[in-house]
Amino acid sequence: MLPAGYDESGPLRVVSSLAGRVSEPRLPAGEVRIGGFGGVEGLVEYLHRERVSAVVDATHPFAEGITANAAEACRVAGVPLVVLRRPGWEAVEGDDWTWVDSLAEAADAVGERRAFITTGRQGLKAFRSGVARTVDPPEPPVPGVKILLGRGPYTVDSELALMREHRIRVLVTKDSGGPMTAAKLTAARQLGIPVIVVRRPALPDGVEVVGTVAEAVDWVSRGSGAG
């Protein structure tokens, strides 16, 4: 999330706020804060204290709670908000995708097949077996699930090798979108491996959405966050 404070006497001040869920995050340039705000009330207080005049919610498409809090806090504080959501993935010829609405549904769809689970460490307890790739180890450990630590971007060749080595029969992913982890979808297509895709949660009603960083910058530059 990017609270953008504006002062008419000087340049735009941008603060990048990270949730702190990854032990060694890749930090963006400029001013960064790490950690939560204490819910809606805490975020409202922060927006007022720091004189924030616009918020760009650039969180992960599945950070449902953070986005809901940001939308409500900005409504209460009277601060403009735009949600930056990269486009989701779309199946192409040769793909065998099954769409589900939750990790629990994904686990049920896996059945007895050996799965490559790429949905992050949160929610892994829904799965009883398989191979999961996460940035940090899950706490507590998940019995029956083998953990591989890794961070994208990945290549098609490395994903092909991984799926072959671990005898993967089905891939499980969230519809995160973006190129950093899309190689697994190409590898699954080439190997004829079906993919279970978890749909994105719905956005809060009434929020403005853009699909690229350039559009978000333009939104702020047009004065949406400087009024």
Side-chain angles (χ1 to χ4, degrees):
M1 187 165 61
L2 306 176
Y6 180 80
D7 183 342
E8 293 182 356
S9 64
L12 194 70
R13 174 193 173 206
V14 177
V15 181
S16 298
S17 177
L18 307 183
R21 292 178 178 172
V22 177
S23 60
E24 296 182 6
R26 289 175 174 150
L27 298 179
E31 187 175 347
V32 178
R33 70 172 300 281
I34 298 178
F37 293 94
V40 172
E41 291 184 1
L43 181 52
V44 170
E45 192 277 331
Y46 176 87
L47 296 175
H48 286 317
R49 184 180 72 246
E50 298 296 324
R51 298 178 60 201
V52 172
S53 54
V55 173
V56 179
D57 176 359
T59 52
H60 192 279
F62 284 81
E64 185 176 8
I66 296 176
T67 294
N69 284 352
E72 178 62 13
C74 287
R75 185 192 67 80
V76 171
V79 175
L81 167 74
V82 70
V83 177
L84 171 58
R85 283 289 181 273
R86 57 184 178 247
W89 290 317
E90 295 183 3
V92 299
E93 184 177 356
D95 285 331
D96 178 9
W97 289 12
T98 298
W99 290 86
V100 297
D101 292 318
S102 67
L103 291 176
E105 287 186 31
D108 287 341
V110 166
E112 299 302 317
R113 293 175 292 179
R114 186 165 178 81
F116 180 28
I117 307 162
T118 62
T119 57
R121 62 176 176 168
Q122 296 187 31
L124 277 182
K125 63 182 180 181
F127 298 89
R128 298 176 296 275
S129 63
V131 177
R133 181 170 61 201
T134 62
V135 176
D136 293 317
E139 292 293 343
V142 182
V145 176
K146 178 180 178 62
I147 301 298
L148 305 177
L149 298 182
R151 189 197 301 257
Y154 304 101
T155 66
V156 173
D157 286 344
S158 67
E159 299 291 58
L160 286 168
L162 184 152
M163 293 183 192
R164 286 170 174 146
E165 177 185 354
H166 294 279
R167 305 183 305 282
I168 299 302
R169 294 296 176 263
V170 60
L171 169 65
V172 183
T173 184
K174 293 177 176 177
D175 182 22
S176 300
M180 283 190 64
T181 60
K184 61 191 174 186
L185 302 174
T186 303
R189 184 186 314 124
Q190 292 184 11
L191 294 174
I193 292 174
V195 183
I196 299 170
V197 188
V198 182
R199 291 186 181 90
R200 295 179 176 186
L203 288 167
D205 292 338
V207 299
E208 185 172 354
V209 182
V210 296
T212 67
V213 172
E215 289 177 293
V217 171
D218 181 63
W219 177 85
V220 175
S221 300
R222 291 198 315 267
S224 297

